[in-house]
Amino acid sequence: MNKKIIFLGYPGSGKGTQSAMLSKEFSIYSLSTGDAFRQMMKEGKGEVADQVRNCVNNGILVSDELTFEVVKNSLPSIDNSWILDGFPRNLNQAKILNEFCPPTEVILVDIDEKIIFQRLTGRRLAKSSGKMYNVFLNPPKTEGICDESGETLIQRDDDKAEIVQKRLEVYRLETEPLIKYYQDKGILKKINGDLPIDEVYSNLREVLGF
Ligand code: AP5
Ligand code: MG
């Protein structure tokens, strides 16, 4: 059966890390709405790009209409397997997705809010290789340089301390209610995100039956 998998969890819980590993190993199409918006911010100049920039850089949600348009236009075919990382993020988005193409499983990457701060403020990215590091938890061999591509690592604008606080607040208010929503549908599976990356991944495979 085709799997339609949603990754849910606090900012910094490891949704991006785990969904990328799963997508790579099993060749499943994966979409991160956050990555899509960052790409729009980089490329775009008009009103829409400004609207996205204003939301993402301030840690608040982009409008449901625009977000769903991105999802709808990016999913290759609703009949194939796919992974959504960071969508839906509120009840309205969940209901829209349900009408369009209901998920078959929802993975909640469960994590203690206290360790998130270090994860996000320490996160560094290599743009072309796509590799992710953390200066505290998972540093590159040479400070500021990607082990694989040799490129300079960058920090996301919304990983600054005050914006991280805002993102956590938005998660609690708008996204956390989705846990009950998917629990009630009987498709929520919880994994402990507070373990080494490979252990989280092996638990993920187990709950998905891969
Ligand atoms: P988005 O890009 O989705 O950000 P987020 O949900 O805040 O999540 P993150 O990407 O920060 O964390 P993650 O869970 O992917 O963790 P990661 O694997 O990177 O969204 C950004 C913005 O876009 C939003 O604020 C909003 O404005 C907008 N947006 C996006 N989707 C939207 C939607 N549906 N509707 C409206 N607006 C939307 O890991 C974090 C760090 O921890 C890394 O350094 C990593 O190396 C490290 N790490 C990961 N796992 C482990 C581990 N097990 N042990 C130790 N370190 C680990
Ligand atoms: Mg992410």
Side-chain angles (χ1 to χ4, degrees):
M1 189 183 90
N2 282 332
K3 295 210 184 252
K4 301 177 193 320
I5 305 164
I6 286 175
F7 276 85
L8 193 65
Y10 264 115
S13 56
K15 303 182 297 293
T17 303
Q18 297 298 324
S19 57
M21 289 167 82
L22 195 69
S23 163
K24 193 171 170 192
E25 183 169 0
F26 296 98
S27 303
I28 303 175
Y29 179 83
S30 176
L31 171 70
S32 155
T33 41
D35 285 349
F37 287 140
R38 280 183 288 280
Q39 193 60 30
M40 286 168 79
M41 284 158 63
K42 198 176 125 205
E43 289 169 357
K45 287 197 168 52
E47 210 179 293
V48 174
D50 283 346
Q51 187 194 325
V52 169
R53 209 167 281 122
N54 183 42
C55 293
V56 173
N57 288 343
N58 287 302
I60 56 175
L61 298 184
V62 176
S63 75
D64 292 346
E65 292 70 27
L66 179 55
T67 306
F68 187 63
E69 207 177 296
V70 167
V71 171
K72 208 172 56 180
N73 294 338
S74 305
L75 286 182
S77 157
I78 56 171
D79 296 328
N80 291 346
S81 293
W82 45 250
I83 298 168
L84 285 175
D85 157 18
F87 182 92
R89 235 168 165 105
N90 61 29
L91 279 172
N92 186 43
Q93 291 182 4
K95 286 174 186 162
I96 297 172
L97 181 66
N98 231 46
E99 280 163 26
F100 177 64
C101 183
T104 56
E105 33 251 300
V106 177
I107 304 292
L108 173 64
V109 188
D110 199 26
I111 195 170
D112 189 331
E113 206 193 306
K114 279 184 237 129
I115 64 169
I116 285 170
F117 209 73
Q118 196 183 36
R119 281 204 184 176
L120 290 181
T121 53
R123 174 168 52 189
R124 298 293 181 275
L125 310 157
K127 275 253 160 113
S128 56
S129 74
K131 248 189 109 55
M132 191 152 33
Y133 300 87
N134 190 288
V135 296
F136 308 113
L137 308 160
N138 171 29
K141 292 190 187 101
T142 309
E143 195 186 323
I145 303 292
C146 176
D147 298 344
E148 281 181 9
S149 61
E151 71 196 287
T152 303
L153 301 177
I154 56 157
Q155 183 178 28
R156 267 168 54 171
D157 284 339
D158 62 344
D159 278 346
K160 293 186 185 112
E162 65 280 14
I163 306 298
V164 168
Q165 292 294 6
K166 182 68 194 170
R167 287 162 63 200
L168 297 181
E169 201 181 300
V170 168
Y171 176 83
R172 274 183 239 111
L173 267 173
E174 305 207 35
T175 311
E176 215 162 52
L178 293 184
I179 297 174
K180 184 171 183 316
Y181 177 82
Y182 286 122
Q183 232 158 14
D184 290 347
K185 292 193 180 298
I187 54 169
L188 189 89
K189 293 171 180 175
K190 206 193 280 195
I191 54 169
N192 180 3
D194 190 7
L195 292 171
I197 290 173
D198 287 342
E199 281 180 47
V200 179
Y201 186 62
S202 104
N203 292 338
L204 170 67
R205 287 187 51 170
E206 200 179 308
V207 300
L208 285 172
F210 279 158

Short mmCIF file of all heavy atoms in Angstrom, two decimals, residues 38 56-59 120 123 155-161 163-164 167:
data_model
loop_
_atom_site.label_atom_id
_atom_site.label_comp_id
_atom_site.label_asym_id
_atom_site.label_seq_id
_atom_site.Cartn_x
_atom_site.Cartn_y
_atom_site.Cartn_z
N ARG A 38 11.43 28.75 2.19
CA ARG A 38 12.78 29.36 2.17
C ARG A 38 13.27 29.54 0.73
O ARG A 38 13.92 30.52 0.41
CB ARG A 38 13.76 28.53 3.02
CG ARG A 38 13.62 28.81 4.52
CD ARG A 38 14.62 28.05 5.36
NE ARG A 38 14.30 26.64 5.44
CZ ARG A 38 13.38 26.11 6.26
NH1 ARG A 38 12.72 26.89 7.09
NH2 ARG A 38 13.16 24.82 6.28
N VAL A 56 7.80 33.86 7.91
CA VAL A 56 8.86 32.91 8.31
C VAL A 56 9.88 33.59 9.22
O VAL A 56 10.24 33.04 10.28
CB VAL A 56 9.55 32.30 7.07
CG1 VAL A 56 10.75 31.45 7.47
CG2 VAL A 56 8.55 31.47 6.27
N ASN A 57 10.32 34.78 8.85
CA ASN A 57 11.36 35.43 9.66
C ASN A 57 10.86 35.90 11.02
O ASN A 57 11.65 36.22 11.91
CB ASN A 57 11.99 36.61 8.89
CG ASN A 57 12.87 36.11 7.76
OD1 ASN A 57 13.25 34.94 7.74
ND2 ASN A 57 13.16 36.97 6.80
N ASN A 58 9.52 35.95 11.18
CA ASN A 58 8.97 36.32 12.49
C ASN A 58 8.41 35.12 13.23
O ASN A 58 7.80 35.28 14.29
CB ASN A 58 7.89 37.40 12.32
CG ASN A 58 8.52 38.73 11.97
OD1 ASN A 58 9.35 39.24 12.73
ND2 ASN A 58 8.19 39.27 10.82
N GLY A 59 8.56 33.94 12.66
CA GLY A 59 8.15 32.71 13.36
C GLY A 59 6.66 32.46 13.39
O GLY A 59 6.17 31.69 14.21
N LEU A 120 17.93 24.24 18.03
CA LEU A 120 17.64 25.23 16.98
C LEU A 120 18.70 26.32 16.89
O LEU A 120 19.12 26.68 15.80
CB LEU A 120 16.26 25.85 17.20
CG LEU A 120 15.09 24.89 16.95
CD1 LEU A 120 13.77 25.59 17.18
CD2 LEU A 120 15.13 24.31 15.56
N ARG A 123 21.79 24.90 15.21
CA ARG A 123 21.68 24.27 13.89
C ARG A 123 22.43 25.07 12.81
O ARG A 123 22.35 26.29 12.75
CB ARG A 123 20.21 24.17 13.50
CG ARG A 123 20.03 23.66 12.08
CD ARG A 123 18.61 23.28 11.77
NE ARG A 123 17.65 24.32 12.08
CZ ARG A 123 16.34 24.14 12.04
NH1 ARG A 123 15.85 22.96 11.74
NH2 ARG A 123 15.53 25.13 12.33
N GLN A 155 23.32 29.77 8.96
CA GLN A 155 22.30 29.65 10.01
C GLN A 155 20.98 30.24 9.49
O GLN A 155 20.99 31.28 8.81
CB GLN A 155 22.74 30.43 11.26
CG GLN A 155 21.76 30.28 12.40
CD GLN A 155 22.19 31.00 13.68
OE1 GLN A 155 22.90 32.00 13.62
NE2 GLN A 155 21.76 30.50 14.81
N ARG A 156 19.87 29.58 9.79
CA ARG A 156 18.56 30.11 9.39
C ARG A 156 18.25 31.37 10.20
O ARG A 156 18.52 31.42 11.39
CB ARG A 156 17.48 29.05 9.67
CG ARG A 156 17.18 28.18 8.48
CD ARG A 156 16.36 26.97 8.81
NE ARG A 156 15.10 27.23 9.50
CZ ARG A 156 14.18 26.30 9.71
NH1 ARG A 156 14.38 25.07 9.28
NH2 ARG A 156 13.07 26.57 10.36
N ASP A 157 17.64 32.37 9.54
CA ASP A 157 17.29 33.61 10.24
C ASP A 157 16.33 33.36 11.39
O ASP A 157 16.38 34.04 12.41
CB ASP A 157 16.64 34.61 9.27
CG ASP A 157 17.67 35.27 8.36
OD1 ASP A 157 18.86 35.26 8.73
OD2 ASP A 157 17.28 35.78 7.30
N ASP A 158 15.44 32.38 11.22
CA ASP A 158 14.45 32.14 12.29
C ASP A 158 15.00 31.23 13.40
O ASP A 158 14.26 30.82 14.28
CB ASP A 158 13.13 31.59 11.72
CG ASP A 158 13.26 30.25 11.01
OD1 ASP A 158 14.40 29.86 10.67
OD2 ASP A 158 12.23 29.58 10.80
N ASP A 159 16.29 30.91 13.37
CA ASP A 159 16.90 30.14 14.46
C ASP A 159 17.54 31.06 15.51
O ASP A 159 18.25 30.60 16.40
CB ASP A 159 17.94 29.15 13.91
CG ASP A 159 17.28 27.86 13.41
OD1 ASP A 159 16.09 27.65 13.72
OD2 ASP A 159 17.94 27.08 12.72
N LYS A 160 17.27 32.35 15.40
CA LYS A 160 17.74 33.27 16.45
C LYS A 160 16.82 33.15 17.66
O LYS A 160 15.61 32.90 17.50
CB LYS A 160 17.75 34.70 15.93
CG LYS A 160 18.79 34.83 14.84
CD LYS A 160 18.97 36.26 14.35
CE LYS A 160 19.93 36.27 13.19
NZ LYS A 160 19.27 36.62 11.92
N ALA A 161 17.40 33.32 18.84
CA ALA A 161 16.71 33.00 20.10
C ALA A 161 15.29 33.56 20.20
O ALA A 161 14.35 32.83 20.54
CB ALA A 161 17.55 33.47 21.27
N ILE A 163 13.16 34.53 17.94
CA ILE A 163 12.22 33.96 16.96
C ILE A 163 11.91 32.50 17.34
O ILE A 163 10.78 32.02 17.15
CB ILE A 163 12.76 34.07 15.52
CG1 ILE A 163 13.15 35.51 15.18
CG2 ILE A 163 11.75 33.55 14.50
CD1 ILE A 163 12.01 36.50 15.22
N VAL A 164 12.90 31.82 17.88
CA VAL A 164 12.66 30.43 18.33
C VAL A 164 11.54 30.42 19.37
O VAL A 164 10.62 29.61 19.31
CB VAL A 164 13.96 29.80 18.89
CG1 VAL A 164 13.66 28.49 19.62
CG2 VAL A 164 14.94 29.53 17.75
N ARG A 167 8.24 30.71 17.64
CA ARG A 167 7.87 29.47 16.94
C ARG A 167 7.32 28.43 17.91
O ARG A 167 6.38 27.70 17.59
CB ARG A 167 9.07 28.91 16.17
CG ARG A 167 9.41 29.75 14.94
CD ARG A 167 10.81 29.51 14.44
NE ARG A 167 11.04 28.15 14.01
CZ ARG A 167 12.25 27.60 13.90
NH1 ARG A 167 13.33 28.31 14.21
NH2 ARG A 167 12.37 26.37 13.48
#
